[in-house]
Amino acid sequence: MAHRCKSLNFLKTSMSRILAIIPAAGCGSRMNSCVPKQYLKFGQNTMLELTAGKLARVLGPERVFIGVSAGDAYVNELDLKNMHVLRTGGATRAETVANTLEAAMHYGAVSANDLVLVHDAARPLVEEADIEKLIAESKKQIAAGTASGCVLAIAVVDTVKRTDEQGYLSEDIDRKGLYRIATPQCFRAGELAQALSENPDVTDESSAIRLSGGRVAVVDCDPANIKVTQPADADFVRERLLKESHMQMRVGYGYDSHRLESGRKFILGGVEIEHSLGLAGHSDADALLHAITDALLGAANCGNIGILFPDNDPAFKGADSKVLLKKAWDAVAQKGWRIANIDCVVIAQKPKLNPHVPAMARTIASILNIDPEQVSVKPKTNEKLGFEGKEEGISTRAVVLLTKSC
Ligand code: MG
């Protein structure tokens, strides 16, 4: 079977133990479609590919588990990269979630205290920023002991009324505090598994958690995070995807150089490298992180590293450039930008840098919360020419591409 738990060894050693479960075993009878609604096509992709892709971009594809029915004839045709497709579909959504969670726990992909995000296959418009907000708030609430987890939700803005059995308005309902509950919903794996076993008939995970005595917090999300249920919803998704396909793009370019001196550490791309000489500077002199910082700031027109972190400010003496990069990225991300990729060149006659490239890419990616695959670092010597070639210093260049929906 395709996509079946290919990379569980990675999951066992993963630092960040957050898993996503997508129950996708329903038939979507209200869509008037001959294929289950998760397999409806939007352009080149099915709804399930779009939905799962959102979670995969936040958590990594190997952390996404999709529960389909035993007889599913469509899923093997999809491009789900390293996501895991399990034939764990049950008679209800709750049963599919419980079965998929149990299988993920059985494989060692998740343990009781790890976080699990459960997300409807039919919500392809969820914003990645909302998923990140949900995870951050869930971690905060769980650590503080104030809630068992959180759900994405949309405050009700319409006037709400109840009708009687004949269809006449019979009761005005105060909309204050009313929410439409969406997904993902985020809880600890063990608590969720227990709650679902105690309450198998619920329509969402937060109901199970609450019926088992837990408290659930609400995290506001983009109202476009609808559940595709009626044919008109599919039209809404198509229009929105068309809009999303019109991306703003910005390129940024950064350059830096630092002198080589004895008695200093050689820190590059956030990685300390053994060398007889080190890089001189006011901060830790990480010329690669400085070039990336400037490229990011430049692309978003947020100034430059010298303005944000002046080299005559004692606050930045010996500063960790990883912290400076994170601060600069926070300012850029605040404007809604996301990183498509970063490509860098380091010119240094010595030391040999290629063995350190994977560690640099991992470090840079973790600071910026992106995949290491989006970061390229290419070391070059300068054929003994210029200050780099004479080992008086090194220089770096970085290009970044930022994207944002219009
Ligand atoms: Mg510098």
Side-chain angles (χ1 to χ4, degrees), residues 335-356:
K335 290 186 156 189
W337 292 107
R338 302 188 71 82
I339 296 169
N341 75 308
I342 301 176
D343 188 23
C344 313
V345 173
V346 178
I347 302 178
Q349 197 63 37
K350 282 181 187 167
K352 280 199 184 310
L353 295 173
N354 265 324
H356 304 284

Side-chain angles (χ1 to χ4, degrees), residues 255-258 283 285-287 290-291 305:
Y255 167 84
D256 198 25
S257 59
H258 279 267
S283 65
D286 189 328
H290 293 179
I305 193 167

Side-chain angles (χ1 to χ4, degrees), residues 132-363:
E132 285 162 4
K133 205 164 70 173
L134 174 78
I135 293 169
E137 185 61 23
S138 300
K139 282 182 177 172
K140 204 171 109 190
Q141 295 266 355
I142 290 169
T146 45
S148 298
C150 299
V151 298
L152 287 186
I154 301 132
V156 171
V157 292
D158 294 314
T159 298
V160 182
K161 295 175 191 274
R162 193 184 305 281
T163 53
D164 60 20
E165 282 173 8
Q166 285 78 44
Y168 295 97
L169 294 179
S170 62
E171 186 188 348
D172 289 356
I173 297 172
D174 183 1
R175 70 177 171 222
K176 189 166 173 282
L178 284 186
Y179 279 87
R180 290 191 283 128
I181 302 305
T183 68
Q185 306 197 354
C186 181
F187 303 101
R188 279 187 296 194
E191 197 174 345
L192 180 58
Q194 177 71 23
L196 289 171
S197 75
E198 290 168 3
N199 309 285
D201 300 323
V202 292
T203 54
D204 79 330
E205 293 64 49
S206 70
S207 303
I209 292 283
R210 290 189 63 249
L211 286 167
S212 291
R215 203 162 170 235
V216 181
V218 158
V219 175
D220 285 293
C221 70
D222 188 321
N225 183 16
I226 60 161
K227 187 173 185 179
V228 176
T229 311
Q230 312 282 349
D233 299 335
D235 294 337
F236 177 78
V237 171
R238 276 189 191 96
E239 279 169 31
R240 179 83 179 207
L241 290 174
L242 191 65
K243 193 173 160 223
E244 277 182 7
S245 70
H246 295 111
M247 301 287 277
Q248 289 185 64
M249 285 188 277
R250 289 280 190 87
V251 170
Y253 178 64
Y255 167 84
D256 198 25
S257 59
H258 279 267
R259 275 180 290 115
L260 282 163
E261 278 182 6
S262 56
R264 291 274 303 183
K265 288 179 177 172
F266 191 103
I267 299 172
L268 200 66
V271 176
E272 190 172 334
I273 294 165
E274 196 67 39
H275 189 43
S276 55
L277 299 172
L279 293 169
H282 185 63
S283 65
D284 63 7
D286 189 328
L288 180 53
L289 295 196
H290 293 179
I292 294 171
T293 303
D294 251 356
L296 287 168
L297 291 170
N301 206 354
C302 285
N304 66 63
I305 193 167
I307 293 172
L308 263 70
F309 314 112
D311 64 6
N312 54 6
D313 186 337
F316 303 117
K317 186 166 168 49
D320 181 345
S321 297
K322 297 197 289 296
V323 176
L324 307 186
L325 174 59
K326 175 77 171 65
K327 281 188 177 167
W329 170 235
D330 285 347
V332 172
Q334 197 81 40
K335 290 186 156 189
W337 292 107
R338 302 188 71 82
I339 296 169
N341 75 308
I342 301 176
D343 188 23
C344 313
V345 173
V346 178
I347 302 178
Q349 197 63 37
K350 282 181 187 167
K352 280 199 184 310
L353 295 173
N354 265 324
H356 304 284
V357 163
M360 290 186 207
R362 278 198 305 274
T363 305

